[in-house]
Amino acid sequence: MASSPLAVPVAKAASTPPFAVSVAAAVAPQRRLLPQCRGVRAAPLRLRSGRGRGRGASVVRAAQGQETSFQVPDVTKSTWQSLVVESELPVLVEFWASWCGPCKMIDPVIGKLSKEYEGKLNCYKLNTDENPDITTQFGIRSIPTMMIFKNGEKKDTVIGAVPESTLVSSIDKYVGR
């Protein structure tokens, strides 16, 4: 089956030289061939029931006394020196913002690691919108960004909502389990 492309009429100014364009020619529609779209289909939307997933499962675990996540404390410009620079332990700082979707995805992972490495690693969150000085000082251009500090020095950086294993391998370079 042959298909004809969609054609749009063209208007050219007859009296203008080839290097100049008149206002009428610039405003008039030009003839272009547009591609035909065939075979584009949208997949049907499938809704999943809450069988062990999503909000319902976490509510059940919380009701049963299981902790679902660990809250990571905030660090700010005023607490940066004492919590990060002067820390005896290595420090993981997550640079985040409240509007950032990937930051929300990695937040539970940071909380879990904070609990797992308790006593060996300090974990903090720094809101980039509220602390632009520190954000600029460390050249943060993408969030979430996780930085590991040891003895007040930046040692490693992980950018993006990465798998837990990626963070663990980076942390393990500076902290023994």
Side-chain angles (χ1 to χ4, degrees), residues 91-104:
V91 178
L92 173 74
V93 178
E94 175 195 2
F95 292 83
W96 70 287
S98 59
W99 48 263
C100 170
C103 298
K104 292 176 186 174

Side-chain angles (χ1 to χ4, degrees), residues 48-64 66 68:
R48 294 183 181 178
S49 64
R51 298 180 193 140
R53 297 181 186 199
R55 188 173 62 205
S58 62
V59 170
V60 169
R61 284 193 299 269
Q64 293 172 345
Q66 297 176 356
T68 57

